[in-house]
């Protein structure tokens, strides 16, 4: 699907101008969403430039993701997609500056694009050129990434309270309670990892764009680009901090699981030691040898029971005195 936007934020279909020759001058943004090859060739013909294909977007080589050709700037970044779902992903989006126009090529619909389209309708003056539009779009992407981090931090805080809080220690836990929390930690770690990959690609894109002629010619664009770069750097540092907290939470959870398992093994070990002397007494008087004087005692049976009880109580009290229980 091909979406085109005029400088006044009016959205049109390129098919409406197919027969009128070149693209109208007031179109500053062409957004290709899940385009097929025919749509790509159509836009290439209108712009007179070869656009990157879906296979090109998957290339991780810097020379394939960030380059210039005939004063046109080609940039590719990885954006977080489906961040609010159980299956967050990364999607590669191409940003192409062709003269005063911005062309975006994407095969997913990150939330940042919906937010950006809603924002430009409220501030049409931001669409004066493709470079200004790109910077505004990058701002929206960075803001959306910050929102993802904030939501993740809130979820991680709640998760930490469930694992380490006083209420978590006092109340009886359901079976496999901590094991389920490990699954949640892994999900957050996966999301934060994708955020860090996205921030790294955005930082490279911003640095590359700041050296282009479109950015150097506009002082306001240079200052705005520097501001975006600082935001990306601060978010990257924050993501590293959150990742460190996740690592601590993972280690703490594994430690608590080990402590609980050791406590269970400790209980079984002490129980076996406590019941060993009574078992020994019962084994002796259960051998049924013919010559056992105690068998003829009137109080032999109750005495044997008392000996077994005392042989269990004494080790128990000894363990309590030592602090092993």
């Amino acid at each position: 699907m091909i979406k085109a936007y005029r400088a006044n934020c009016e959205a049109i279909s390129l098919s409406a101008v197919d027969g009128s020759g070149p693209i109208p001058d007031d179109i500053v943004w062409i957004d290709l969403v899940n385009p097929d090859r025919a749509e790509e060739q159509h836009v290439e013909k209108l712009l007179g430039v070869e656009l990157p294909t879906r296979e090109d977007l998957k290339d991780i080589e810097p020379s394939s993701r960030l380059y210039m050709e005939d004063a046109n700037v080609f940039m590719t970044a990885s954006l977080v997609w489906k961040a609010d779902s159980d299956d967050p992903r990364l999607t590669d989006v191409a940003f192409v500056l062709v003269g005063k126009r911005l062309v975006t090529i994407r095969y997913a619909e990150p939330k940042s694009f919906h937010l950006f389209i809603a924002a430009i309708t409220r501030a049409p003056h931001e669409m004066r050129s493709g470079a200004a539009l790109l910077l505004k779009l990058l701002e929206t992407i960075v803001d959306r990434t910050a929102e993802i981090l904030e939501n993740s931090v809130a979820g991680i805080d709640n998760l930490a309270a469930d694992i380490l809080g006083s209420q978590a220690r006092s109340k009886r836990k359901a079976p496999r309670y901590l094991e389920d929390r490990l699954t949640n930690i892994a999900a957050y770690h996966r999301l934060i990892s994708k955020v860090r990959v996205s921030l790294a690609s955005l930082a490279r894109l911003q640095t590359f764009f700041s050296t282009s002629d479109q950015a150097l010619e506009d002082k306001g664009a240079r200052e705005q680009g520097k501001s975006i770069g600082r935001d990306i750097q601060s978010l990257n540092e924050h993501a590293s901090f959150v990742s460190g907290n996740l690592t601590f939470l993972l280690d703490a959870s594994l430690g608590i699981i080990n402590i609980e398992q050791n406590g269970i093994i400790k209980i079984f070990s002490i129980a076996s030691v406590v019941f060993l002397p009574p078992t020994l007494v019962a084994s002796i008087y259960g051998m049924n040898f013919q010559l056992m004087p105690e068998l003829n005692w009137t109080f032999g049976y109750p005495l044997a029971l008392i000996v077994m009880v005392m042989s269990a109580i004494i080790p128990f009290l000894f363990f309590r005195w030592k602090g092993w229980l």
Side-chain angles (χ1 to χ4, degrees), residues 152-305:
S152 299
V153 168
I156 293 170
D157 286 342
N158 294 332
L159 187 60
D162 291 340
I163 297 173
L164 304 174
S166 57
Q167 293 182 353
R169 295 193 300 269
S170 61
K171 66 182 181 181
R172 182 181 178 87
K173 297 183 180 64
R176 297 188 58 82
Y177 176 82
L178 288 175
E179 288 82 351
D180 293 338
R181 302 289 86 75
L182 291 179
T183 302
N184 295 336
I185 293 174
Y188 279 116
H189 185 272
R190 182 185 179 195
L191 175 59
I192 297 301
S193 297
K194 294 185 181 301
V195 168
R196 296 182 69 179
V197 172
S198 177
L199 288 172
S201 68
L202 288 172
R204 290 169 51 195
L205 185 149
Q206 185 276 329
T207 302
F208 181 80
F209 172 70
S210 63
T211 62
S212 65
D213 294 338
Q214 288 85 339
L216 295 176
E217 291 173 356
D218 189 341
K219 182 179 179 180
R222 292 199 303 271
E223 295 300 324
Q224 189 176 6
K226 291 179 181 178
S227 176
I228 293 173
R230 289 190 294 267
D231 290 341
I232 293 174
Q233 182 179 0
S234 63
L235 286 178
N236 202 6
E237 294 173 355
H238 185 47
S240 299
F241 173 75
V242 174
S243 181
N245 284 345
L246 278 174
T247 301
F248 165 76
L249 195 57
L250 175 62
D251 294 339
S253 301
L254 293 176
I256 294 174
I257 291 174
N258 289 333
I259 290 173
E260 291 185 350
Q261 290 177 343
N262 291 339
I264 294 172
I265 298 301
K266 179 182 177 180
I267 292 174
F268 279 108
S269 300
I270 292 177
S272 63
V273 173
V274 168
F275 287 103
L276 182 61
T279 303
L280 177 62
V281 175
S283 300
I284 292 175
Y285 289 103
M287 291 187 292
N288 295 323
F289 284 113
Q290 185 176 1
L291 300 177
M292 294 183 68
E294 295 84 349
L295 294 178
N296 296 323
W297 291 359
T298 303
F299 300 100
Y301 176 68
L303 181 61
L305 293 180

Side-chain angles (χ1 to χ4, degrees), residues 11-189:
I12 66 172
S13 173
L14 281 184
S15 59
V17 296
D18 285 349
S20 60
I23 302 177
D25 293 336
D26 61 345
I27 290 182
V28 293
W29 181 25
I30 300 175
D31 187 23
L32 282 76
V33 184
N34 291 308
D36 55 28
R37 187 53 189 157
E39 291 174 332
E40 291 175 347
Q41 291 176 344
H42 176 61
V43 175
E44 288 176 349
K45 181 179 179 181
L46 291 175
L47 296 177
V49 62
E50 183 177 354
L51 299 177
T53 63
R54 188 167 193 168
E55 290 71 22
D56 296 333
L57 297 183
K58 297 178 180 179
D59 200 330
I60 62 174
E61 291 294 330
S63 59
S64 300
R65 296 174 71 90
L66 305 168
Y67 61 95
M68 296 183 184
E69 282 186 0
D70 300 328
N72 300 318
V73 184
F74 297 81
M75 298 166 289
T76 302
S78 299
L79 307 185
V80 181
W81 177 41
K82 294 185 176 181
D84 299 326
S85 69
D86 296 331
D87 185 25
R89 301 180 183 180
L90 286 174
T91 180
D92 293 320
V93 179
F95 305 87
V96 184
L97 286 174
V98 182
K100 296 295 183 179
R101 295 189 178 96
L102 171 66
V103 180
T104 55
I105 306 171
R106 53 194 174 101
Y107 295 89
E109 297 197 18
K111 188 176 180 180
S112 54
F113 274 79
H114 295 285
L115 296 173
F116 174 68
I117 293 173
I120 60 176
T121 57
R122 297 190 297 267
H125 60 278
E126 299 288 349
M127 297 185 64
R128 61 184 184 273
S129 67
L133 201 64
L134 173 61
L135 290 171
K136 185 64 178 178
L137 177 55
L138 288 179
E139 278 188 348
T140 306
I141 293 171
V142 171
D143 290 343
R144 170 57 181 163
T145 305
E147 180 185 359
I148 294 172
L149 277 177
E150 290 175 0
N151 294 338
S152 299
V153 168
I156 293 170
D157 286 342
N158 294 332
L159 187 60
D162 291 340
I163 297 173
L164 304 174
S166 57
Q167 293 182 353
R169 295 193 300 269
S170 61
K171 66 182 181 181
R172 182 181 178 87
K173 297 183 180 64
R176 297 188 58 82
Y177 176 82
L178 288 175
E179 288 82 351
D180 293 338
R181 302 289 86 75
L182 291 179
T183 302
N184 295 336
I185 293 174
Y188 279 116
H189 185 272

